DNA sequence: TTGTAAGCGTTATCAT
DNA sequence: ATGATAACGCTTACAA
């Protein structure tokens, strides 16, 4: 039992393939008699016709596919899988609303299947947590004119848009909530070294007062023991819960989009996933409108407290 | 600047399109002189050729795409987004290893975009947390011979394979860990009513001693207050953390694949995501081998304690 | 208002 | 060992 094609409908309705296509696609420039329109539509329904998007994509040179490409971390933290789940789910929802389908792919150093964007003729792609190296490799396989957005990554290439939490603002707000200057910063790590550097830089703290999570158990508490009773900032709600056991005067900056798991007595700063809307719409515009240009390279997600 | 095609390579190498295709696909039945093989391969590389999977799919009638379709819950619990993230990530990893790409889609009552499986000519699909109704609707759009697996759902149709945690075994193990009979069961809800019923049935507890999470704050503690100091079983590590605040004699059955967030002093039972391997391989076999049949309809994921 | 036909980039059969 | 060509299912310029 094979799938119904336009051809089948045409045969059944005694009209040409073209006519069927016009009707199914509601082509405005083409006038169709009500009679045939109704007839064809009915038959299409009877035969349970569904568009063959593969064939369609080939012809119109648009797939309606967006890639969400997640780069896994070397040192897998316990929360690493959860970290981007909400972001991805939200993005899928938003793209879906605009009629796109989402191809989801994880890339690690073992499986560097970089060609997906071109192989699958993706209309656009979101790369999450990429380091410069991997980005260079994969960017060899970008299509020309395919919008590519990077999230949580500093890529030294002005061709691409970057989506980042507004770190500076977050630190400002944190300071406000603490009422005094934080004495330490505990943060999660990222594949993208430049992003880590940017964060540490913005914190205005010397390296000795910054702890970048490194997977090894125990190292955090050793670090913290240097700052008894001191106020601090903690990026990542999982780390915050941990730190809170010994240091209650902290602000949690919820970089995991997962503030529900945060102890509810911890001061916190969150980001709103609805802010992705703007990004998704931008990608859509790039796809729809070949000549669209947006020179805003940084999308800073505003923190809420 | 357009993408390189086989045609471009052919022209550049002064050979036919067919020859290029043979070489790129390493067709065994076709002998090719070393000279042209080397020449073509070199040119392909120079021109940065990548397969156009859209065209290829159309021709060979296989897309190499697997759909992972997640049905969202009506009453969104705080952990609902996180709940299936790990499952999906693991599945993507496994499918990826076999050369498939994964189309990820969430379906809720608002966006019942059911046709994706046929539209996109998916080679296979995993449906997660489906209720009978939605399943009926979507199954109208299944392709014939496309393997469809349902997870965490009881679907009354012997054509489809079902993947479920081994509830019975989990309850047995729990009882062993408790050392006595549990007096209550706290469980998360599922879209699939039949699955909920199955679980409650297997618990051997009367309805009055079972709490199915319903989103409303406070109702859990009211329920629990009926069973002071009693042993109980809690499905879902988030709920378990909650229950533990008042009832320490419990076993957590980690249905969220997320035991990391569980307080480490709680007795627990987990499931191993590596057990998905078998399912992924089965899907692969169905795709590769048209005649393959597997009559094992239930895949019960074994609990570990 | 409808139909014809070329072409999107592949694969695979059949000649040469 | 290589090439010509039909076909996959669709869209669209053009003809009728």
């Amino acid at each position: 039992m094979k799938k119904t094609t336009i051809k089948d409908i045409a045969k059944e309705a005694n009209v040409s393939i073209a006519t069927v296509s016009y009707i199914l696609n509601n082509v405005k420039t083409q006038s169709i008699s009500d009679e045939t329109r109704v007839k064809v539509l009915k038959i299409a329904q009877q035969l349970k016709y569904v568009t063959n998007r593969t064939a369609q994509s080939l012809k119109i040179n648009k797939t309606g596919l967006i890639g969400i490409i997640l780069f896994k971390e070397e040192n897998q933290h316990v929360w690493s899988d959860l970290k981007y789940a909400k972001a991805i789910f939200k993005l899928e929802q938003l793209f879906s609303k605009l009629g796109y389908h989402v191809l989801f792919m994880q890339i690690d150093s073992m499986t560097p299947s970089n060609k997906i964007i071109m192989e699958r003729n993706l209309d656009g792609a979101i790369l999450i947590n990429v380091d410069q190296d991997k980005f260079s490799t994969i960017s060899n396989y970008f299509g020309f004119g395919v919008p590519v957005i990077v999230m949580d990554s500093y890529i030294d290439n002005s061709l691409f848009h970057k989506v980042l939490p507004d770190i500076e603002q977050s630190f400002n707000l944190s300071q406000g909530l603490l009422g005094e200057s934080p004495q330490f910063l505990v943060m999660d790590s990222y594949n993208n070294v430049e992003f880590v550097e940017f964060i540490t830089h913005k914190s205005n703290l010397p390296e000795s007062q910054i702890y970048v999570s490194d997977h090894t158990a125990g190292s955090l508490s050793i670090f913290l023991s240097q700052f008894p009773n001191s106020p601090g900032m903690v990026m990542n709600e999982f780390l915050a819960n941990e730190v809170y056991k010994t240091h209650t005067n902290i602000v949690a900056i919820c970089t995991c989009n997962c503030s529900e798991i945060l102890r509810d007595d911890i001061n916190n700063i969150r980001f709103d996933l609805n802010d992705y809307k703007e990004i998704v719409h931008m990608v859509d515009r790039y796809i729809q409108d070949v000549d669209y240009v947006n020179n805003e390279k940084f999308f800073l997600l505003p923190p809420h407290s």
Side-chain angles (χ1 to χ4, degrees), chain A residues 115-305:
Chain A
K115 304 199 270 219
I116 186 172
I117 297 182
M118 290 214 82
E119 263 189 358
R120 292 288 183 186
N121 305 294
L122 304 185
D123 287 347
I126 314 274
L127 309 190
I128 304 179
N129 202 13
V130 220
D131 62 75
Q132 289 272 3
D133 263 17
K134 295 245 181 58
F135 184 83
S136 305
T137 319
I138 199 176
S139 67
N140 286 320
Y141 296 98
F142 286 173
F144 306 95
V146 177
V148 172
I149 316 282
V150 298
M151 289 183 54
D152 277 13
S153 321
Y154 254 98
I155 296 300
D156 187 20
N157 186 327
S158 60
L159 276 175
F160 304 98
H161 298 272
K162 301 153 192 68
V163 179
L164 304 163
D166 190 333
I167 298 299
E168 192 159 0
Q169 259 289 80
S170 306
F171 287 162
N172 288 342
L173 279 175
S174 298
Q175 191 136 182
L177 286 173
L178 287 173
E180 52 185 324
S181 287
Q183 293 306 302
F184 64 86
L185 168 66
V186 170
M187 60 178 287
D188 40 7
S189 67
Y190 293 87
N191 282 330
N192 189 280
V193 182
E194 292 76 13
F195 186 42
V196 174
E197 277 168 4
F198 178 78
I199 297 173
T200 57
H201 174 249
K202 284 295 179 194
S203 74
N204 282 326
L205 288 168
E207 269 195 40
S208 60
Q209 285 163 254
I210 300 177
Y211 172 86
V212 180
S213 171
D214 68 345
H215 202 206
T216 59
S219 63
L220 174 58
S221 54
I222 294 175
F223 169 82
L224 287 172
S225 65
Q226 301 174 280
F227 312 96
N229 304 318
S230 299
M233 305 187 294
V234 185
M235 297 180 74
N236 179 328
E237 36 279 61
F238 292 86
L239 287 172
N241 280 344
E242 202 57 31
V243 173
Y244 191 76
K245 291 176 183 166
T246 52
H247 292 65
T248 55
N249 192 17
I250 60 171
V251 171
I253 301 172
C254 296
T255 50
C256 284
N257 298 313
C258 189
S259 56
E260 304 91 322
I261 68 101
L262 193 67
R263 291 187 49 137
D264 51 15
D265 40 6
I266 303 182
N267 277 324
N268 63 81
I269 285 174
R270 297 165 310 282
F271 299 92
D272 185 348
L273 292 174
N274 284 313
D275 292 331
Y276 288 159
K277 236 180 237 173
E278 198 187 340
I279 293 133
V280 169
H281 275 101
M282 182 183 73
V283 172
D284 185 40
R285 288 235 24 205
Y286 268 108
I287 294 170
Q288 303 300 331
D289 180 357
V290 194
D291 298 319
Y292 176 70
V293 171
N294 185 331
N295 287 313
E296 200 66 63
K297 292 310 170 195
F298 286 90
F299 287 85
L300 298 181
L301 304 172
H304 305 280
S305 68

Side-chain angles (χ1 to χ4, degrees), chain A residues 82-137:
Chain A
L82 300 179
K83 178 157 185 173
Y84 291 109
K86 284 207 168 183
I88 292 167
F89 288 4
K90 186 70 188 183
L91 286 169
E92 191 281 332
Q93 191 196 100
L94 292 169
F95 277 117
S96 184
K97 210 173 286 182
L98 296 181
Y100 295 96
H101 288 156
V102 163
L103 245 157
F104 169 59
M105 173 162 232
Q106 297 162 97
I107 294 192
D108 54 34
S109 29
M110 306 295 101
T111 51
S113 23
N114 297 314
K115 304 199 270 219
I116 186 172
I117 297 182
M118 290 214 82
E119 263 189 358
R120 292 288 183 186
N121 305 294
L122 304 185
D123 287 347
I126 314 274
L127 309 190
I128 304 179
N129 202 13
V130 220
D131 62 75
Q132 289 272 3
D133 263 17
K134 295 245 181 58
F135 184 83
S136 305
T137 319

